[in-house]
Amino acid sequence: PLPAGLQEVFPAPGDSAVRPVVLEVDLDSGLKATIVVDGFAIPEQEVSFVEATGVHRWTPSPTSLVMTEWTPGDHTVRITWDSLAGMPAPGEFEWTFRIQ
């Protein structure tokens, strides 16, 4: 079960995926996430974020400051989030998936 505020993540916990993979975090609207992949914080400018839907997307690229491509093996993602305005609504979630 996912914590309150988090609608869906892709790849899902325990999934096995084939490259290319776009990491997707779907939060309730009004929430914004910070994403950490394998211990490296993803710079905000590399994350595609749609405020109206709460969807965040990221994939490694040749211009990424963190990771240029997914390597085979396990990858751990940790997200933390909070509200964009109004009352705080913090949360966090961590999961692992595998790239073939």
Side-chain angles (χ1 to χ4, degrees), residues 1-63:
L2 298 175
L6 181 58
Q7 300 295 317
E8 186 177 14
V9 294
F10 181 84
D15 272 3
S16 186
V18 178
R19 292 181 288 181
V21 170
V22 176
L23 179 68
E24 187 169 303
V25 175
D26 185 358
L27 294 171
D28 290 345
S29 62
L31 299 176
K32 187 165 185 184
T34 300
I35 302 172
V36 177
V37 176
D38 296 336
F40 296 98
I42 304 301
E44 190 173 311
Q45 66 269 21
E46 291 186 23
V47 177
S48 169
F49 171 59
V50 179
E51 186 174 333
T53 62
V55 174
H56 301 67
R57 289 186 180 98
W58 178 80
T59 191
S61 74
T63 59

Side-chain angles (χ1 to χ4, degrees), residues 65-84:
L65 299 174
V66 176
M67 188 183 304
T68 58
E69 66 180 349
W70 291 113
T71 55
D74 289 343
H75 294 277
T76 300
V77 180
R78 178 175 174 73
I79 56 172
T80 57
W81 63 86
D82 207 345
S83 58
L84 289 165

